Amino acid sequence: MLSLRCQPLGSPVLRTAPIGFTRVWLRLVRLPLQLSLAFFLLPADAALAAEPSAWSVPVASGLWLLVLNAAYAVFGAYFLNAPFVAMLSFAGALAYAGYETLEYGRTVLIGLAALVFFLWHRTRQRYRNG
């Protein structure tokens, strides 16, 4: 998680260049996504080899891993200069959402998705407006 480096999002050079926010952000999260993929493929392949008819479980796990990576990347981009704060706030948001999910069901995930969207929107505004 600490391998995410979002300092170029704060660069005035990139903000004035004709490079879009999404393109810069995807370039920054490339390494964490590659690391997650490398550590996910071996267990997923082993599970698929053990039970070929249950192919939906590794696929669903991989999709949730992508969602978690994207959500963490948004937290990392929002807390631009403090990757440790980004990690702690992301872990806290996940822990709180997990705790409340036990009581209220999966509707709490809508709140987590709204938080991630809000952080994405604020980071994008900060990138465009300085």
Side-chain angles (χ1 to χ4, degrees):
M1 292 177 99
L2 292 175
S3 66
L4 183 65
R5 293 199 175 113
C6 293
Q7 280 80 11
L9 284 175
S11 168
V13 174
L14 278 180
R15 284 196 313 259
T16 58
I19 300 172
F21 171 75
T22 306
R23 188 173 185 175
V24 172
W25 181 75
L26 286 174
R27 279 294 216 186
L28 293 172
V29 300
R30 195 161 109 192
L31 177 63
L33 287 174
Q34 288 173 347
L35 289 172
S36 294
L37 182 69
F39 286 108
F40 174 74
L41 281 181
L42 185 62
D45 286 343
L48 193 58
E51 188 66 40
S53 63
W55 61 270
S56 62
V57 174
V59 170
S61 298
L63 290 176
W64 277 111
L65 182 64
L66 283 175
V67 168
L68 282 175
N69 277 331
Y72 176 70
V74 169
F75 273 82
Y78 184 75
F79 296 103
L80 199 56
N81 297 322
F84 191 70
V85 172
M87 184 181 68
L88 285 178
S89 62
F90 178 68
L94 282 183
Y96 182 72
Y99 171 73
E100 291 297 328
T101 299
L102 293 174
E103 282 188 39
Y104 299 113
R106 294 191 180 192
T107 56
V108 175
L109 294 178
I110 295 171
L112 182 63
L115 174 65
V116 169
F117 179 75
F118 173 74
L119 294 179
W120 167 269
H121 179 69
R122 294 289 298 157
T123 304
R124 192 167 159 220
Q125 280 184 334
R126 185 171 51 200
Y127 177 77
R128 285 187 174 172
N129 302 329

